Amino acid sequence: MKISNIPFGTTDWTEVERTEHAGDTGMAYWRTRQFGDLRVRMVEYTAGYLADHWCSKGHILFCLEGELHTELEDGRQFVLTPGMSYQVADQAEPHRSSTATGAKLFIVD
């Protein structure tokens, strides 16, 4: 990843518009900022959330609150708790997320 042509700035995430994204079950609420090709999001998943698709997009994801379960298409499973992160490249390993209790994440992609 190369970050260029982005001047210094701060973000108050409480002021960023929240959008809704339904999963197979539960909801995801995104607060999104776009900086050139770089998308930065604060994402909250409700309890019982299950993604409605396998994602092939690369991310760096940091768990702020709750517990996030990530399943890879090959069957491997991972659990993130606050303070943990994962990273995956574009088109590398399809993955999908779920949470029984809810989770709050910071995602860069």
Side-chain angles (χ1 to χ4, degrees), residues 2-67:
K2 182 177 180 179
I3 301 173
S4 59
N5 298 319
I6 300 172
F8 179 86
T10 63
T11 300
D12 180 347
W13 289 99
T14 63
E15 294 183 4
V16 177
E17 180 184 357
R18 186 175 88 162
T19 58
E20 296 183 356
H21 304 266
D24 271 349
T25 58
M27 293 292 295
Y29 299 102
W30 298 9
R31 295 180 190 272
T32 306
R33 296 282 317 269
Q34 192 74 37
F35 302 100
D37 292 337
L38 192 64
R39 179 174 68 171
V40 180
R41 296 178 286 159
M42 189 73 67
V43 175
E44 294 181 59
Y45 292 140
T46 62
Y49 177 82
L50 171 63
D52 65 350
H53 66 285
W54 289 98
C55 181
S56 293
K57 177 87 174 119
H59 314 284
I60 297 172
L61 183 149
F62 181 73
C63 182
L64 297 164
E65 298 175 9
E67 184 174 279

